Structure formats: C-alpha cells, structure tokens
Amino acid sequence: MKLSVIIPVYNEQTTIEQVIDEVNAVPLEKEIIVVDDGSTDGTVAAIRRAEGKLTRVHLSPVNFGKGAAIRIGLTYVTGDVIIIQDADTELDPREYSRLLQKIEAGADVVYGSRFLGDNPGIPRITRLANRFLTLLTNVLYGCRLTDMETAYKMFRREVAGRLRLRCIGFEVEPEITAQFLKNGFRIEEVPVSYNP
C-alpha cells in the first residue's frame, strides 16, 4: 500500500525540516505532499532546502487556514491511504505503522488517539476541551471516540473521495470527523505518543 502524507504548514520554520526528515525515514512506500499556507517566516526557505525529499510542494501566496491546506493536499494524492501530518514535532511519524496495521486489517478510517496511551504532559485545558468536543461528537453521531481532535487521521483514498470539505481553518478537524461518520464509516482508534 502506498501512503500519501499531507503536511499542511504555516510558520513552522523551526520544525518543518525535522518533520520532513522523520516522515522520509519511515520505511514505507509513500509520497510526501507539503502545502505551505502562506507562511511569513522562513518556512518556505526550509521547504525549498528539503524539496528533494518531497513528492509535491504547493506554496500558497496567502494564509487561508489548515482546512484549505488539507483540501489542496487532497487534490495531489495518488496513494492508497492518506494521513495528515502536522508540521510540528508533537506526533511521531514512526507510529504510522500502528495506524496502517488497522487499515490493512480492513478499517477504512483510523485515528491516532493521544488519550488511549500514557501521555502525561498534555495540558489540563487541552484535555478538558478535547473531552468536551469528543463527547459532543459521540452524542451527535453515536460513536465512541476518545480523541476527535487528533491530527493523526488515516483513511483510504476512496473514503477521501466521499469528503465534501468546506471549512478552511482549524474547524476542519471536526468537519472531517463528522463527514466520516455521516457517510457511515466507522472510525477505529490506536494509541499514539504525544509530545506537546
């Protein structure tokens, strides 16, 4: 299975090259798609330095938001499976295989949950906000998620074809989850490490 890694990035000059190197080091067949969302720091220069390690680069002249960057990235994917990778170093690309095992076993959508494992460094406000939003999602859609706001969302390419995303900012996170569930896809979760 070929993995398409979409990296939406905005003003992450200090971490983007490290993230690209970490994703590149994952021993899987993959393509790496970086979508810069109008960065105003040195992010674009950092992306250009790493361009030989990337499959596709899209540089937006204006900052629209994470949702817009993800939507642009989805237009470039050619892999069988897609994952969204934030451009900071909070999540570890070496854990892709955990999510991919569930896909290979038949799952259509897999989330990496920060709250299933032992991640004691998560700030209390983050835990509370995520619990509230996840509870609301579970009530509205009859599911049993532990981490609706996770950045690690892995899904089959045919599932992506059913998404009709409209959000352009961070509200894309609940929009993606809602559309998966409204389209009848069951979301499975695996624990992932998290370094806030």
Side-chain angles (χ1 to χ4, degrees):
M1 268 189 215
K2 180 179 174 183
L3 181 64
S4 295
V5 182
I6 300 173
I7 306 176
V9 58
Y10 175 69
N11 286 350
E12 295 283 3
Q13 69 176 349
T14 60
T15 57
I16 185 62
E17 287 182 272
Q18 179 183 342
V19 169
I20 290 168
D21 286 342
E22 289 176 1
V23 171
N24 201 45
V26 174
L28 296 169
E29 181 186 358
K30 64 189 165 302
E31 63 181 359
I32 304 172
I33 301 161
V34 172
V35 181
D36 179 78
D37 189 35
S39 292
T40 56
D41 63 354
T43 299
V44 172
I47 291 169
R48 288 202 168 112
R49 285 192 297 272
E51 207 159 4
K53 302 170 187 171
L54 305 173
T55 308
R56 184 76 181 199
V57 175
H58 179 94
L59 303 176
S60 176
V62 179
N63 174 245
F64 291 107
K66 183 177 183 178
I70 290 171
R71 288 166 53 189
I72 290 167
L74 286 169
T75 66
Y76 295 123
V77 299
T78 62
D80 307 295
V81 179
I82 301 161
I83 191 166
I84 300 164
Q85 169 71 54
D86 281 352
D88 55 30
T89 55
E90 292 184 336
L91 295 168
D92 187 349
R94 290 177 295 188
E95 295 184 340
Y96 289 171
S97 59
R98 283 188 185 177
L99 286 79
L100 199 53
Q101 285 173 355
K102 289 272 191 184
I103 296 282
E104 289 170 339
D108 291 313
V109 181
V110 182
Y111 281 13
S113 174
R114 299 165 291 175
F115 301 104
L116 285 176
D118 182 30
N119 290 308
I122 300 174
R124 181 181 299 273
I125 190 71
T126 302
R127 284 184 184 274
L128 291 173
N130 191 70
R131 276 194 187 142
F132 172 74
L133 293 170
T134 300
L135 175 64
L136 191 59
T137 302
N138 289 341
V139 169
L140 286 172
Y141 297 102
C143 57
R144 301 185 88 175
L145 296 175
T146 63
D147 192 1
M148 182 274 294
E149 287 283 339
T150 182
Y152 269 2
K153 294 173 169 66
M154 181 179 282
F155 45 97
R156 295 180 184 274
R157 187 172 173 195
E158 52 269 24
V159 171
R162 304 273 300 275
L163 296 175
R164 299 291 176 260
L165 301 176
R166 288 179 265 175
C167 294
I168 61 171
F170 275 99
E171 67 275 13
V172 75
E173 299 290 0
E175 182 185 33
I176 289 173
T177 301
Q179 288 202 20
F180 286 151
L181 295 169
K182 284 172 73 173
N183 280 296
F185 296 110
R186 183 172 170 268
I187 299 172
E188 297 191 32
E189 292 182 300
V190 298
V192 292
S193 59
Y194 179 63
N195 181 28

